[in-house]
Amino acid sequence: MPEAAFAADTRATVGDSEFDRDTAVTLREPGVYEADLSAGWTVFGAVNGGYLLAVLGRALADALPHPDPFTVSAHYLTASRPGPAVVRTDVVRTGRTLSTGQASLFQYDEQGREVERIRVLASYGDLDTLPADVRTTAEPPAIPPMEQCFGPEDAPAPTSGGEPIADRLMLRLDPSTLGWALGKPSGRGEMRSWFGLADGRDADPFSLLLAVDALPPTAFELGLTGWVPTVELTVHIRCRPAPGPVRVSIATRNLAGGFLEEDAEVWDSAGRLVAQSRQLARVRLG
């Protein structure tokens, strides 16, 4: 898929895409929001952690006086399932340039008991007011042009039905990080990809919360398979992304005791570092 095709005039705009509808929250009473977690964003039957972060992020954007997430830290307590959910928010502090709040998402289990799924602490501001001065040694990842990369549809033996989230994403993976798909993992713990939403909606701070957790796990390139559930995820949004697909680079340097870290960077079409994250995830060994 050439980059120009992704930027076609038929792309969805912010507010009318499936992602926006599926991450929407409805205010029920002060500080309490209702959500409906879509089955379209699941992996191995569980709701994707980045999608969940976007849902809670929208609730906090409504509860706090500032519009944009600057830093969001989430602890995933139990696996979320598609269906109704309640998000409870609490304003911790408000200031001139930053406001801080916390939020928790709850669902009911089979016995009708309320269960907390995820808890978030976040600081919000206004990305449009940040100074333009940038001093960095970071460099964009070297990913081949989009037409030289590969998506789920290019797999030699695609899984019947696949994972629902794959149908909602535009992923074009760097061939050098695809050894796992050919039964020859590199052992380097790296994953790189072009990323966008399948309907062409441009990236914004909330879709960046999804982007850092949307690629196949780096554990695959370490020779491991199966679900890699997130324990904790912290995301920093650095600036508002330019239109067009973004590049995502994720690396793991250490797997020990059944846990690994994933460090992610997201770069926009203007070559700017727009988001960073670190997560701790659990893997099943043996």
Side-chain angles (χ1 to χ4, degrees):
M1 180 189 294
E3 184 173 344
F6 180 74
D9 290 339
T10 56
R11 66 189 179 197
T13 58
V14 173
D16 67 1
S17 78
E18 184 176 28
F19 175 75
D20 295 302
R21 294 192 298 271
D22 289 349
T23 57
V25 295
T26 302
L27 182 65
R28 187 172 75 187
E29 58 187 78
V32 181
Y33 298 82
E34 295 179 348
D36 188 12
L37 304 183
S38 170
W41 303 91
T42 55
V43 181
F44 294 108
V47 181
N48 171 265
Y51 164 76
L52 289 170
L53 214 56
V55 172
L56 277 83
R58 291 200 185 281
L60 282 169
D62 185 79
L64 296 171
H66 292 93
D68 301 314
F70 276 23
T71 178
V72 182
S73 294
H75 284 263
Y76 295 80
L77 309 177
T78 54
S80 299
R81 302 299 179 189
V86 172
V87 179
R88 296 194 176 95
T89 63
D90 181 43
V91 178
V92 177
R93 179 186 180 276
T94 61
R96 186 174 59 86
T97 59
L98 286 175
S99 55
T100 300
Q102 59 185 7
S104 291
L105 183 143
F106 298 86
Q107 290 185 304
Y108 288 99
D109 64 12
E110 293 79 3
Q111 287 73 42
R113 298 171 299 193
E114 191 173 67
V115 178
E116 186 175 8
R117 302 297 195 192
I118 175 175
R119 184 177 297 189
V120 162
L121 182 66
S123 290
Y124 276 55
D126 186 344
L127 291 170
D128 294 330
T129 66
L130 296 181
D133 184 32
V134 176
R135 309 178 196 191
T136 181
T137 59
E139 297 181 357
I143 300 179
M146 199 179 293
E147 59 269 20
Q148 297 177 21
C149 295
F150 297 91
E153 69 279 5
D154 299 311
T159 303
S160 177
E163 294 297 341
I165 192 172
D167 295 332
R168 282 146 190 88
L169 302 178
M170 189 288 299
L171 290 180
R172 306 298 292 180
L173 293 156
D174 184 337
S176 67
T177 65
L178 276 174
W180 58 274
L182 304 174
K184 299 178 180 178
S186 67
R188 290 191 299 267
E190 298 175 352
M191 203 67 63
R192 291 182 294 275
S193 181
W194 294 91
F195 169 88
L197 294 168
D199 59 13
R201 173 203 186 275
D202 280 324
D204 72 350
F206 296 103
S207 69
L208 294 180
L209 298 177
L210 168 67
V212 299
D213 193 44
L215 273 58
T218 55
F220 289 2
E221 273 294 84
L222 293 174
L224 303 172
T225 59
W227 186 35
V228 184
T230 302
V231 177
E232 188 271 344
L233 172 60
T234 295
V235 186
H236 297 162
I237 306 299
R238 307 307 300 267
C239 63
R240 198 176 304 283
V246 299
R247 287 170 287 176
V248 183
S249 175
I250 306 179
T252 292
R253 297 178 58 201
N254 190 57
L255 187 160
F259 292 86
L260 57 77
E261 89 288 344
E262 287 192 338
D263 291 318
E265 293 182 352
V266 184
W267 296 77
D268 71 0
S269 59
R272 300 176 305 166
L273 180 62
V274 295
Q276 298 167 280
S277 73
R278 166 166 281 198
Q279 72 168 279
L280 181 70
R282 181 163 50 90
V283 295
R284 292 182 171 88
L285 302 173

